[in-house]
Amino acid sequence: MRNMPAVLVVEDEPAIAELVAVNLRHNGFRTTWAMDSASAQREIDAGVPDLILLDWMLPGESGLVLAKRWRTHPRTKDVPIIMLTARGDESDRVAGLDAGADDYIAKPFSTKELLARVRAVLRRRAPEPVGESVKVGELMLDPATHRVTFGAQPLKLGPTEFKLLHFMMGSAERVHSRANLLDKVWGDHVYIEERTVDVHVKRLREAMAGAGCMIETVRGAGYRLTARPESVVTQSEKAGA
Ligand code: CA
């Protein structure tokens, strides 16, 4: 059935693979098992899964090498990867994520945790529901009609600027790091530089014209959308003083 997500389990230890597969199946997933890199590649050539659970230490090519390769292939670059491994060091975790893994689970793990992470990663990759319109100060965004207005003035935004503004309006007043924005707006940021965020923020500010100052640069931290831009607050507070 198409609505049962397919998970490819790449794991050389049969006991672990079996445990993972049984639990996934009981929870509505289809699973296939590959015990080394060559058979994993064959499975992928036969059909792209919805998610890959990838053991780090494999005979032959390591999970890290496989993750890097799948990330660069057009067929597999969007498939979420969760690394499974006994290596739990911070540096290993970073290496796994740098290789393109979406998440990382250290062995031994509970099957409950595994399922939660599998679901979270799939949810993150799923297209966002259209949702309701959001309003911050005079700024209004309607995802259904793709319209943005500031007061009575309509604003014309590109698709990325629209998505960026939508996300920032949904969490107004909060500061977002560039990495967080890449993760939330671009989805998979492995091959996108953080500088890209600055480029789109600049474009967004320009497109927002008078409302552009609502997006504040928070030095050393990132960006924030606020209904009370500091430049304006300062002026009105000065006026009130
Ligand atoms: Ca292993």
Side-chain angles (χ1 to χ4, degrees):
M1 271 167 74
R2 184 56 237 170
N3 57 2
M4 283 172 74
V7 179
L8 172 62
V9 182
V10 188
E11 167 67 70
D12 60 318
E13 287 163 71
I16 296 177
E18 178 71 16
L19 177 76
V20 168
V22 164
N23 275 280
L24 286 170
R25 268 184 235 134
H26 282 172
N27 285 277
F29 296 89
R30 286 177 296 149
T31 60
T32 42
W33 173 40
M35 61 188 307
D36 56 34
S37 64
S39 49
Q41 191 58 55
R42 274 199 300 276
E43 289 295 339
I44 284 177
D45 292 343
V48 177
D50 294 297
L51 184 135
I52 302 168
L53 284 175
L54 179 59
D55 186 28
W56 183 312
M57 301 296 278
L58 291 167
E61 287 174 304
S62 74
L64 206 63
V65 171
L66 285 174
K68 277 185 188 154
R69 184 190 310 148
W70 289 334
R71 272 297 165 261
T72 54
H73 261 262
R75 268 185 100 217
T76 45
K77 70 178 173 54
D78 293 326
V79 180
I81 297 172
I82 299 179
M83 302 270 316
L84 292 177
T85 174
R87 311 174 62 154
D89 288 352
E90 172 85 17
S91 59
D92 288 335
R93 204 160 52 84
V94 170
L97 296 175
D98 277 349
D102 293 79
D103 204 350
Y104 183 101
I105 304 178
K107 293 176 186 172
F109 50 85
S110 76
T111 49
K112 227 174 166 177
E113 182 192 3
L114 176 79
L115 283 165
R117 291 196 186 223
V118 163
R119 290 195 180 107
V121 165
L122 286 173
R123 211 166 33 238
R124 224 154 63 206
R125 290 302 186 102
E128 278 164 43
V130 165
E132 292 171 6
S133 60
V134 243
K135 195 170 190 297
V136 176
E138 290 294 293
L139 195 62
M140 172 99 108
L141 179 145
D142 184 358
T145 59
H146 241 256
R147 285 209 176 100
V148 186
T149 50
F150 181 59
Q153 183 196 356
L155 306 179
K156 276 199 81 153
L157 308 180
T160 303
E161 284 73 48
F162 184 91
K163 221 178 154 194
L164 180 61
L165 182 63
H166 192 187
F167 173 71
M168 293 185 86
M169 286 179 75
S171 51
E173 311 301 335
R174 274 226 295 276
V175 179
H176 298 287
S177 67
R178 287 165 178 84
N180 184 36
L181 288 172
L182 280 175
D183 193 34
K184 297 290 167 38
V185 177
W186 279 259
D188 189 346
H189 61 262
V190 176
Y191 289 101
I192 304 174
E193 289 176 36
E194 294 199 349
R195 208 168 50 83
T196 309
V197 174
D198 301 333
V199 173
H200 286 278
V201 166
K202 184 166 176 279
R203 276 193 214 157
L204 179 57
R205 278 182 179 141
E206 282 164 6
M208 286 169 76
C213 64
M214 289 175 75
I215 297 178
E216 294 180 337
T217 305
V218 182
R219 196 176 268 220
Y223 295 105
R224 159 173 62 204
L225 182 108
T226 176
R228 300 172 75 239
E230 229 151 73
S231 52
V232 175
V233 173
T234 322
Q235 276 162 19
S236 56
E237 276 169 4
K238 265 184 202 155

